Amino acid sequence: MTAARSTRDGQDSRDTEDADDFDVEEALALVRGESARASGEPGRAERAVPGPQGTDPAVLVPGAQDGGEGKHPRHRSTPWPEARAIAERAARSLSRRTPVPVPLDASLGLVLAAPLTALTDLPSFDTSAMDGWAVAGPGPWEVREDGVLAGHAEPERLSDGEAVRIATGARVPRDATAVLRSEHGRLDDKGRLHAGVAQEQGPARSRGVLALAHGQDIRPRGQECRSGDQLLPPGALVTPAVLGLAAAAGYDTLAVVPRPRAEVLVLGDELLTGGLPRDGLIRDALGPMLPPWLRALGAEVVAVRRLGDDAKALHKAITGSRADLIVTTGGTAGGPVDHVHPILSRIGAELLVDGVKVRPGHPMLLARTQENQHLVGLPGNPLAAVSGLLTLAEPMLRTLAGRTAPEPYTLPLGEAVQGHPYDTRLIPVSLRGERATPLHYNGPAMLRGIAAADALAVVPPGGARAGQELDLIDLPWAAAGIDACFV
């Protein structure tokens, strides 16, 4: 289901002020719930459906009788925080994923599956911290003609009263007592080296005697770590700095938690993959948007398939997928071409979440399709799909990838925000200073607001006043930068 199918027909009058927060899938779900409550008891084509564990009591669903082709039970929506917790628990319930060795240049953004233990002392020999002279004993010093450069074999040892030119990072000769920086040394007319620092005394400049401490500007072997020291624990995220540390400590590959594999199934006959909208057709926004977003959440996207509204093709794609997570777009309501629920019922999938009390994105779902496979059904409207992605796919992929949950944080709103009467609302915000400023163009079919956003604000039922502290969900690229995020 996509933006082209949006409608507000059948909305309860009390929700008129929130009309922009409904797409057709949400409206259908709302109409079902309202008609069931109004009827007071089931009709001939209605039956009570028990909700999944932790959700509200059952609702009555028109046309959900057993055996009806295309019919499916509808649960009363799960509260938004509980839906996220269910997704995380579902991922934790799976068997532990086998660590894999990955070359350093391919491990950015993954999570360590084993401790990062130093394979060598760092540094592995005494090195010079500065360009200058390696010296032995008190000065002045006789300077040897040769020099010591980084990357060369161990130089000759020094005797007391000797010095040798040395470069930063070069191996310090044995028996050297310090390194004298280039700017602190001077040669007399006999070529002997003296230590001193420039001092201002009126118009003339003179040099004061510099006292060299033993070991000054020498990085001793093992200063940072000794071989066998634990540098990072399991579960640490591989950042660019971690790559540098691992390389310095002697690693060519890292044992990491493999990326969970995700497959995207784009549904809808009305979608174009190029050109301008025409003849009732619209551009597919989710096909280009979801794969990089899933990668930013830690997934490896193994396929993107455009299936239209073909029930047989959808059935074949779901049953033939070997991905850890299948993500579908649209088709999660009960319209004539909404095939997701009937197919999940046909294959015996377990519905864990069937609708969430959140706007936009109410008709999202989470199902266990196989022992080690789940499906997240996203609404077809773009911003509603983003809501579903961050509600259900994010906690599942984060857990499967071994990542830790981000620390929750709040900021005060820059202005008041209208809320839904009884559902959580997610709205795009920009972060400026110490405030979260709500962005316009935040209807379920719109991407203009989220494209300029840094985060989503979690608005409780009833709305929020200016200055009220709200929980925020960072967009993955807002803090880390695009290049670091989409590796």
Side-chain angles (χ1 to χ4, degrees), residues 316-332:
K316 182 178 179 181
I318 292 175
T319 56
S321 175
R322 296 297 174 263
D324 301 297
L325 181 66
I326 302 169
V327 178
T328 63
T329 68
T332 54

Side-chain angles (χ1 to χ4, degrees), residues 162-378:
E162 279 191 317
V164 64
R165 265 286 185 184
I166 194 167
T168 301
R171 190 165 186 163
V172 173
R174 282 186 295 166
D175 296 334
T177 54
V179 168
L180 177 65
R181 301 184 186 190
S182 296
E183 62 270 26
H184 293 164
R186 62 181 179 86
L187 297 174
D188 61 21
D189 54 4
K190 295 180 180 180
R192 290 180 302 178
L193 176 67
H194 297 260
V197 291
Q199 294 177 331
E200 292 288 348
Q201 291 183 349
R205 287 173 59 87
S206 64
R207 283 190 174 267
V209 176
L210 175 69
L212 273 183
H214 191 279
Q216 185 167 318
D217 288 325
I218 293 177
R219 292 187 63 216
R221 176 175 180 168
Q223 181 185 51
E224 187 169 1
C225 66
R226 289 291 184 180
S227 180
D229 286 352
Q230 179 175 305
L231 305 176
L232 291 170
L237 183 68
V238 179
T239 64
V242 170
L243 291 177
L245 176 62
Y251 285 84
D252 298 315
T253 63
L254 293 174
V256 295
V257 179
R259 297 183 191 276
R261 297 164 299 167
E263 184 169 355
V264 179
L265 307 179
V266 181
L267 312 181
D269 285 340
E270 74 279 19
L271 300 178
L272 293 169
T273 58
L276 295 173
R278 63 181 184 275
D279 302 326
L281 304 177
I282 61 170
R283 280 296 297 270
D284 169 28
L286 297 183
M289 178 176 73
L290 290 182
W293 206 315
L294 289 166
R295 293 188 195 102
L297 296 177
E300 173 192 357
V301 179
V302 297
V304 179
R305 306 180 192 276
R306 290 173 170 83
L307 305 180
D309 287 319
D310 188 330
K312 289 183 179 179
L314 179 58
H315 179 273
K316 182 178 179 181
I318 292 175
T319 56
S321 175
R322 296 297 174 263
D324 301 297
L325 181 66
I326 302 169
V327 178
T328 63
T329 68
T332 54
V337 292
D338 292 334
H339 303 303
V340 175
H341 278 93
I343 289 173
L344 291 177
S345 177
R346 179 179 170 188
I347 67 175
E350 179 186 2
L351 275 173
L352 304 176
V353 174
D354 192 6
V356 177
K357 292 183 177 180
V358 67
R359 308 290 169 160
H362 173 270
M364 67 182 77
L365 64 85
L366 171 65
R368 181 181 287 113
T369 50
Q370 297 181 37
E371 182 179 355
N372 286 306
Q373 184 187 75
H374 290 79
L375 181 146
V376 167
L378 302 178

Side-chain angles (χ1 to χ4, degrees), residues 102-117:
V102 174
L104 287 185
D105 60 2
S107 59
L108 182 65
L110 297 175
V111 169
L112 294 179
L116 186 71
T117 303

Side-chain angles (χ1 to χ4, degrees), residues 80-146:
W80 181 76
E82 177 64 14
R84 300 192 84 208
I86 290 172
E88 185 170 326
R89 286 199 302 269
R92 292 193 186 282
S93 70
L94 301 179
S95 56
R96 186 176 180 182
R97 311 183 74 225
T98 303
V100 294
V102 174
L104 287 185
D105 60 2
S107 59
L108 182 65
L110 297 175
V111 169
L112 294 179
L116 186 71
T117 303
L119 302 179
T120 181
D121 297 343
L122 284 182
S124 54
F125 46 80
D126 293 350
T127 61
S128 175
M130 294 287 173
D131 292 334
W133 293 268
V135 300
W141 302 273
E142 297 290 335
V143 180
R144 293 202 314 223
E145 292 185 1
D146 57 339

